[in-house]
Amino acid sequence: MNIEQQDFYTQAILSMAALVGLTSFLMLGQGRLLRLIFVFALQGLLLTLTTALAAYSLDSPHLYISAMLTLILKVIFIPWMLRRQVLLMNMHRDVEALKNNTAVMLGGAGLMVFSYYVLHPIVQTSSAIMLNALAVSLSVVLLGMLLMISHRQAVAHVVGFMAIENGLFFAAIVATKGMPMVVELGVAFDVLVAAVLFGIFFFHIRTSIDSLDVDRLNRLHEVDQ
């Protein structure tokens, strides 16, 4: 496949797919929570641009509403909420020492290769957009799970959870050329509810043990037993 011979929409979507995958990979190596939140917001911005591009190229006006909701929730509201919790906990200067950081990064690279290896036989007869969209979406989902496993802070777990949703959203927008409006509104509402619940969860943890370290929560549970 020669990318120079593809139309503008295909080239733009392939570029967005590469950048979305890159942001998920960068999240794995972030030790500072504020940087992690910034990269997550950057990924949300890429999803917003992808949705707006799909709306323009496919002549689907309802996708502009989806792009606006993505911008409000994933670029502004959720990063603001997470950043606020980090600053309230005075964790913005803390650096999380990742266990086996090299192994985590190599595992992330392996998951991206695995995603293309698994999906290539399935969609090899499809377009380049379909293959790359599904492969990047699967890799973003797997990297989000790895992020939740490898990091101790609850904020990083929330970012990983939201990154998984980003991967599914990217596949839905690109591979299916936009979901029905009612589905997009339902997904946006679910994301908003999840963000509010995470905020309440953080508030109760902060008032109880003054920490968002999952290891401390596990030790607290062991002491109670």
Side-chain angles (χ1 to χ4, degrees):
M1 179 189 67
N2 189 351
I3 192 172
E4 295 180 355
Q5 299 176 353
Q6 303 296 323
D7 57 88
F8 172 76
Y9 175 70
T10 301
Q11 294 182 20
I13 291 298
L14 292 178
S15 300
M16 289 296 178
L19 292 174
V20 169
L22 177 62
T23 52
S24 287
F25 188 76
L26 290 177
M27 289 185 200
L28 287 177
Q30 297 301 321
R32 293 185 181 274
L33 292 178
L34 290 183
R35 290 181 182 176
L36 177 63
I37 296 171
F38 173 78
V39 177
F40 170 74
L42 180 60
Q43 186 178 74
L45 180 60
L46 292 173
L47 290 177
T48 301
L49 296 176
T50 302
T51 307
L53 178 63
Y56 175 78
S57 300
L58 303 175
D59 194 21
S60 300
H62 72 279
L63 288 180
Y64 287 113
I65 300 177
S66 180
M68 182 182 65
L69 292 175
T70 303
L71 177 66
I72 294 173
L73 290 176
K74 299 180 180 179
V75 182
I76 299 175
F77 177 71
I78 295 178
W80 169 81
M81 183 197 70
L82 295 176
R83 187 176 186 276
R84 180 174 177 271
Q85 292 296 329
V86 170
L87 294 177
L88 287 176
M89 297 291 295
N90 198 25
M91 299 164 55
H92 57 286
R93 289 193 175 93
D94 295 344
V95 178
E96 181 180 1
L98 301 179
K99 297 180 180 179
N100 300 321
N101 187 30
T102 302
V104 171
M105 300 302 290
L106 290 176
L111 289 176
M112 298 191 74
V113 175
F114 173 77
S115 299
Y116 276 90
Y117 175 78
V118 170
L119 290 175
H120 186 268
I122 301 175
V123 294
Q124 59 181 347
T125 58
S126 302
S127 63
I129 289 182
M130 181 69 71
L131 171 61
N132 286 275
L134 293 180
V136 169
S137 299
L138 178 58
S139 65
V140 170
V141 170
L142 295 177
L143 290 174
M145 294 180 181
L146 182 60
L147 176 65
M148 298 174 68
I149 295 173
S150 60
H151 286 65
R152 300 193 315 269
Q153 297 292 339
V155 173
H157 290 196
V158 174
V159 172
F161 175 80
M162 292 296 177
I164 292 174
E165 196 277 331
N166 284 346
L168 299 176
F169 181 81
F170 183 80
I173 292 297
V174 178
T176 66
K177 299 182 179 181
M179 299 174 290
M181 189 62 198
V182 63
V183 177
E184 294 177 7
L185 292 176
V187 171
F189 180 75
D190 289 341
V191 172
L192 178 61
V193 171
V196 173
L197 291 178
F198 282 131
I200 297 174
F201 173 70
F202 289 157
F203 174 77
H204 284 287
I205 292 180
R206 181 166 55 87
T207 56
S208 299
I209 64 174
D210 196 31
S211 175
L212 294 179
D213 193 321
V214 177
D215 287 346
R216 291 190 60 180
L217 296 177
N218 291 333
R219 289 196 294 268
L220 181 63
H221 177 69
E222 294 172 357
V223 171
D224 290 340
Q225 289 182 340

